[in-house]
Amino acid sequence: MSRLSVISTDKVNSTTEKLMKEFTQRIIANPPGVCPVDMQLAFLKVCHAQTCGKCVPCRIGLGILEELLESVLDNTATMETLELIEHTAVNIKNSADCAIGFESARMVLAGFEGFKEDYLSHVQEHQCTGTFEQPIPCVTLCPANVDIPGYIALAGEGRCADAVRLIRKDNPFPTACALICEHPCESRCRRTMIDDAINIRGMKHYIMDKAHASEVPVPSCAAPTGKKVAVIGGGPAGLTAAYFLQLMGHQAVIFEQKAQLGGMLRYGIPNYRFPRERLLEDIGAILSTGIEVKLNTSIGTQELGEINDTYDAVFIAIGAHAEKRLNLEGEDSGNVISAVEMLREIGDGNYPDFSGKRVLVVGGGNVAMDCARTAIRSRAKTVSIVYRRRKEDMTALPAEVEGAIAEGIELLTLKAPLRIEADENGNAKALWVQPQMIGAVKGGRPSPRKADKAEERLECDVILMAVGQDIISEPFAQAGIATKRGQFSANASCELNRVGMYAGGDCVTGPATVIKAIAAGKTAAANIDEFLGFHHAISVDVDIPEPLLNDKLPCGRVNLGEKESWARKDNFDGIEYTMSDEEALQEASRCLRCDRHGCGVLRGGRQDRW
């Protein structure tokens, strides 16, 4: 092979790799609902523009493929067109001289097979299975559909109080989400096409540190409607629903079983992640709307009947506060504590004392990390997390796992709990585990299986079980409310099988994220309002800055810092630092403003109500 041909081949290969990388970035940045056929056509056009034009399959064939895909999008294609697309792509794949033609055709074929239903929908129904109702990626991925580009733009101009008002249009817990949201909105940020996603949660953290929720007044409530709505449960879903119902003019009354409001925000998240005084800022602002609260009030079958007869509508948001068990031998031994029980005690200010004790935490989710990091702050001698899968298979956020390791917590992976050994006093003294071997992928994760190794004995003084949470739905099921596997059977509108009764949050979905619970409360409030015969709009009178038309050059992402591990692991003070004014301004300037440019403009501008 001549030197010239080697150089040419290297150039083609490097060009193909670059195209693949750039296209991958664009796929990642696309919001759900974008038409897969349109996406394939866009990729094909990019590849066609990069061909050298020397061979017919690339120069002519890719152009023909473009026309065929355009006919599918124009709803002029027939079933014969689909056969021709497949036939043409196969010929190009088999005869192209370079990787661009080969890979282009291969990707078309892969998409043709994977998106078959989408192609058929265009041809047979003349309808696209995708939707452009909300094409802004970050807004689409936020369960509550918060106007993210809007509040980032406001923060960039130093208008943090206005940013809080904009966030509250869809989410009355701006502080909670600033500190502990899992930020799904960042996963498809279009900024990844240039460098890295905007630090959306970090920007919200900055906003809430500049304009505390307790300092920014909530909107005025609409005129009273004379309707009363009972909200059973004072967690994020219940408080959100009550907040929006109150703004709509309905009198919301919260029935909370525990001594304080907050649900899992108070009884499931340690203070070092979400300081209690910051939670009170959000709750105080919500209650300032005039919501009535009845604490220490349990609702059983009889009480539910009375409430249903007294109130115009009922929203059930009891969360998932019951412990889940593995039913291990010896699980009832002393010093075997459920994560739910320990975090509940901490929520009421009762911290454990593990001085000098060896603590094992069973589980691999965020709750397990919370328990382990709480144990190390409670002066435990050693803390180890026992998990039956690998570290990379943990459901906990990577930042939480790395934070735990930095604080001296050990991960004992690929070890499945078998039984608990107790001493003569009935207290746990060891956990027996069976070593595991990682295996085939099932449900998106590699599954563990028993390894051909002997059982292992892990000595300990305390065992914290963080293997999940259950829902106490029996009293409601006895009242005739439909449940399935312990969860309430509510539809997408949060409606139950009884007229005027709704449910949302963890009691419907199972244990999930705070922002999903907030979204459920928002949805329930809107549908209860409709059920009561109204159609109130939640609006915000905030002028959003127009985007600057400067070039968006590559720029590093600003990440939030944390206190050093030695300075944080012996106390429950907040551990995360916020951005400086300079950092926040730079991060805000990285936003591509998809709400004003690109797909986002299909909305016809910002809609300030839902």
Side-chain angles (χ1 to χ4, degrees), residues 280-308:
L280 292 177
E281 292 174 12
D282 278 347
I283 293 178
I286 291 170
L287 296 182
S288 69
T289 58
I291 298 167
E292 293 182 21
V293 178
K294 298 180 183 295
L295 298 173
N296 298 307
T297 304
S298 296
I299 302 299
T301 305
Q302 180 178 346
E303 291 83 2
L304 182 63
E306 295 173 357
I307 287 174
N308 194 33

Side-chain angles (χ1 to χ4, degrees), residues 280-357:
L280 292 177
E281 292 174 12
D282 278 347
I283 293 178
I286 291 170
L287 296 182
S288 69
T289 58
I291 298 167
E292 293 182 21
V293 178
K294 298 180 183 295
L295 298 173
N296 298 307
T297 304
S298 296
I299 302 299
T301 305
Q302 180 178 346
E303 291 83 2
L304 182 63
E306 295 173 357
I307 287 174
N308 194 33
D309 293 337
T310 307
Y311 290 82
D312 298 292
V314 179
F315 177 56
I316 302 171
I318 60 173
H321 292 269
E323 63 189 73
K324 189 171 280 187
R325 297 169 62 90
L326 291 178
N327 295 320
L328 300 178
E329 177 186 338
E331 196 169 3
D332 293 324
S333 302
N335 292 334
V336 178
I337 307 169
S338 78
V340 173
E341 178 186 341
M342 186 180 79
L343 293 175
R344 182 188 301 134
E345 288 294 314
I346 291 174
D348 284 328
N350 303 317
Y351 289 86
D353 183 5
F354 294 144
S355 298
K357 297 185 182 296

Side-chain angles (χ1 to χ4, degrees), residues 457-590:
R457 182 177 182 271
L458 307 177
E459 292 189 6
C460 62
D461 301 303
V462 176
I463 299 176
L464 301 177
M465 305 297 291
V467 293
Q469 297 141 254
D470 272 336
I471 301 153
I472 304 176
S473 59
E474 290 81 3
F476 300 91
Q478 292 171 7
I481 295 176
T483 61
K484 183 178 182 181
R485 297 177 182 173
Q487 298 176 9
F488 290 87
S489 299
N491 61 19
S493 299
C494 298
E495 295 172 321
L496 290 167
N497 62 319
R498 292 181 60 177
V499 176
M501 299 193 74
Y502 298 76
D506 289 357
C507 66
V508 172
T509 63
T513 60
V514 171
I515 189 61
K516 287 184 177 179
I518 291 168
K522 173 184 169 183
T523 299
N527 285 288
I528 290 172
D529 183 57
E530 295 283 345
F531 168 74
L532 295 176
F534 299 88
H535 186 71
H536 288 100
I538 301 295
S539 61
V540 61
D541 185 20
V542 174
D543 181 34
I544 309 298
E546 289 298 320
L548 299 176
L549 300 180
N550 57 315
D551 291 338
K552 297 295 184 180
L553 302 176
C555 178
R557 165 186 163 117
V558 174
N559 290 318
L560 300 185
E562 292 184 344
K563 292 180 181 177
E564 305 97 313
S565 58
W566 64 265
R568 72 189 191 219
K569 67 180 184 179
D570 61 351
N571 60 74
F572 285 89
D573 296 338
I575 66 174
E576 191 175 60
Y577 295 121
T578 190
M579 293 182 189
S580 66
D581 293 340
E582 182 184 26
E583 289 173 327
L585 177 61
Q586 176 177 294
E587 195 64 13
S589 71
R590 294 178 65 235

Side-chain angles (χ1 to χ4, degrees), residues 47-84:
C47 292
H48 192 199
Q50 295 295 321
T51 61
C52 64
K54 292 181 179 179
C55 70
V56 173
C58 285
R59 186 177 72 250
I60 306 298
L62 294 183
I64 292 174
L65 266 182
E66 284 182 26
E67 294 175 1
L68 293 172
L69 289 180
E70 284 173 348
S71 71
V72 173
L73 292 172
D74 292 340
N75 295 327
T76 59
T78 63
M79 293 302 293
E80 288 72 21
T81 307
L82 300 186
E83 293 179 6
L84 187 56

